[in-house]
Amino acid sequence: MEKLSGYVEHIIYRNADNGYTVLSLVSGEEEVVCVGVFSAIAEGETIEASGEYTEHPSYGRQFKVDHFEERMPEDTEAIERYLGSGAIKGIGLALAARIVRRFQADTFRIIEEEPERLAEIKGISERKAMEIAHQVNEKRDLRQAMIFLQQYGITMNLAVRVYKEYGQEVYSIVRENPYRLADDIEGVGFRTADEIADRVGIRPDSDFRVRSGILYVLQQAAGEGHTFLPQEDLTARSGQLLGVNAEQIEKQYMDLAIERKVMLKKSPEGKTQVYSASFYYMEANTAAMLRQLNVDYAVSESEISGRIRGIEKQTGMELDDLQRTAVKEAVRKGLLVITGGPGTGKTTTINTIIRYFEQEGLDIFLAAPTGRAAKRMSETTGFPARTIHRMLEPGGITADSAGFEKNEKNPLETDVLIVDEMSMVDISLMHSLLRAVAVGTRLILVGDENQLPSVGPGSVLRDIIRSHVCNTVMLTKIFRQASTSDIIVNAHKINRGEPVKPDNKSMDFFFLKRYDADVIISVVLQLISRKLPKYVEATPFDIQVLTPMRKGLLGVERLNGILQQYLNPPSKDKAEREHGGTVFREGDKVMQIRNNYQLTWEIRTKLGMSVEKGAGIFNGDMGIIREISDFAEQMVVEFDEGRTVEYPYKLLDELELAYAITIHKSQGSEYPAVVIPLLSGPSMLMNRNLLYTAVTRARRCVTLVGNEGTFDQMIQNTSQQKRYSGLCERLKENI
């Protein structure tokens, strides 16, 4: 570790969000380029930095700073340089020279203790003297706060945000209740606050710590899909996290409820459920809004039947009794759920409903949770469909707290809204959607309740169906054209728990028996690169590998590294960027892994002209890396529909390679072919629900590679992780 001392000659680059800075430091006779995270550093300031010299491939020799301390200027020349650098607004080079000439080495003491004396200098009024003193003191306060916070292990980047939030209160908050940081500052979790509390010396059984730990456990549970936890589960999990007994935890529940941070509800069995307040109100409001939409329309049976017969004659489609019932219910009811497995005629039913309402002259919106699902909906209906997020218009100056422009004050302007792939919609998105649906709009929800539940918290579709409060039509007949597809036939067998014979006599459903992970990967590579593209008339990038797990020999993380090496190998013509252990390369297939409402996109012509712009890239969106630029410090990714996004390097945490993805992440998508490696895994994960979802993602071909014993066990395994959600109960309460 080397040390450098000197003054900041020039700020070359600064990222205002995270403090990453490139600056020129004059140290003795040498001028050195330094890179690192610097807080509130200005040109002219004096620092002592610790770090090491590195060689950047484009920018040459740099000093990478791990730690630095600001030093007060020690001589009149340094004081004059600092004051005249622009760090203090209103002081230029000439005025700085006059101040230092008058007060010499005593300049800073005068500014801090007797600021009115600055008015002795020509060109400085008493008001300006006070402004100068305020700025100098503010910078001194920030400098002292940085030093104070860093002794508790708080990084420079986080320290700046903490100081901006609390100002001079930071000292009392950190010493008395650092858990407030987890509540008040986005990105600060319980773990960070707990580490600070440990350094401060706060007791492990402190009320502040126990309450913050309870809220943290509820937050973690939401990441697993739960909107609440039974009190006994929450107490057990919190006790394990905090190392305190159940009594110390349970006495905090009522206080948290009084503070409106949690809601306590009784289940039908009389057990206490503990919600984060936000999820409880989302469920309660969602139930109330669904109830408001659930109105009747007086339309005669003869009128509806006559219109349906006319549509059947025009289109050559013939509906079965259940499909006909679904269309009739869509006309008579303000709220309808249509559910059924693959090949049961959901698309035909939707198309008939669209034509019916078109003939009525009504405005119709179609939506789905993902770009791929919306694209498929457009292709099968011939009617434009959008993602729910795009329809709600994310971002913008007037966006509400959920990040959308469309809400109860600015509702969607349509008469009919049809939403497909509802199994993917979590409680948060459902709540935002319903806020934008005006009473009097017909809402038709379409989905397969046997698919995996949403990645986000809640079991929206399942809860609505099981409440028996909303009108639901379940389509069960497998139509003749669908019955010739072994993908559809076998999907229904899997769903019913019937054995599937993997004899490879099918044209679209194959099972290649292999029992070694590396051999399985080798077969997967051959399938993607050589055999399947011609068979399904698609590119290797269109064929998707779906795997049950993230980790392990056949997990997403290992598979992506190997598949990238073969499908998009290193080349001197392809720029790369390593981030968080992942190498991103031009041409790579990537996926967005969290919702980002602020990211802007645009659709460009071949000549680079922008034809459409918008905001919002969402969890599950997939694209191709088109450009990586170290100079611009950004990566350009092209998503579905030609939407191009520029990712600053600081946002690369939001992307991961997508040659292989988890089956969970594939929900709502459809691919020409899917390849599913299967060997072994935890029984709670390797279940019928997961296998059914994976198989139904394929349009033309499913190939499983692995152990047929695991395949058979998954068909018989109906156990899946219990998901705690209360929308079903909230709907029943609203009757």
Side-chain angles (χ1 to χ4, degrees), residues 603-661:
I603 298 173
R604 301 169 182 161
T605 65
K606 289 180 181 177
L607 298 174
M609 296 284 289
S610 177
V611 293
E612 187 181 348
K613 292 184 178 182
I617 297 294
F618 304 104
N619 192 355
D621 285 354
M622 293 174 71
I624 304 290
I625 298 174
R626 297 302 184 196
E627 183 186 343
I628 297 174
S629 170
D630 279 341
F631 177 77
E633 293 195 328
Q634 70 177 23
M635 198 157 81
V636 178
V637 179
E638 184 181 333
F639 288 95
D640 291 338
E641 303 168 327
R643 291 173 298 145
T644 300
V645 178
E646 296 175 350
Y647 281 82
Y649 282 168
K650 67 173 182 176
L651 289 183
L652 296 190
D653 284 339
E654 298 190 3
L655 289 171
E656 65 182 22
L657 296 176
Y659 297 98
I661 63 174

Side-chain angles (χ1 to χ4, degrees), residues 218-232:
L218 286 173
Q219 182 185 19
Q220 295 299 103
E224 298 165 20
H226 307 299
T227 57
F228 71 84
L229 283 178
Q231 183 175 307
E232 58 270 27

Side-chain angles (χ1 to χ4, degrees), residues 289-414:
M289 289 186 285
L290 285 169
R291 185 72 180 160
Q292 287 174 341
L293 293 171
N294 198 14
V295 297
D296 293 332
Y297 292 90
V299 188
S300 71
E301 173 73 20
S302 59
E303 182 182 335
I304 301 174
S305 296
R307 182 70 56 84
I308 292 173
R309 281 195 299 272
I311 293 168
E312 286 177 317
K313 204 174 270 187
Q314 287 170 9
T315 60
M317 299 184 295
E318 188 175 344
L319 305 185
D320 76 346
D321 289 343
L322 284 171
Q323 289 176 309
R324 204 168 276 114
T325 299
V327 178
K328 289 176 180 178
E329 289 292 288
V331 176
R332 290 192 187 116
K333 303 291 183 182
L335 175 63
L336 174 66
V337 177
I338 301 173
T339 185
T344 56
K346 293 194 297 293
T347 299
T348 301
T349 307
I350 292 170
N351 282 333
T352 307
I353 292 169
I354 290 170
R355 283 179 172 80
Y356 190 105
F357 287 129
E358 267 192 312
Q359 290 181 12
E360 292 277 289
L362 301 184
D363 290 326
I364 306 163
F365 282 1
L366 304 188
T370 66
R372 283 177 177 267
K375 185 178 179 183
R376 191 170 84 243
M377 200 179 185
S378 292
E379 290 168 352
T380 56
T381 63
F383 205 86
R386 292 173 287 175
T387 64
I388 297 171
H389 292 92
R390 281 185 73 179
M391 184 177 67
L392 296 179
E393 298 178 15
I397 296 168
T398 59
D400 64 7
S401 58
F404 294 113
E405 296 273 355
K406 293 295 183 182
N407 51 45
E408 57 277 351
K409 295 177 182 175
N410 180 27
L412 295 165
E413 295 179 8
T414 185

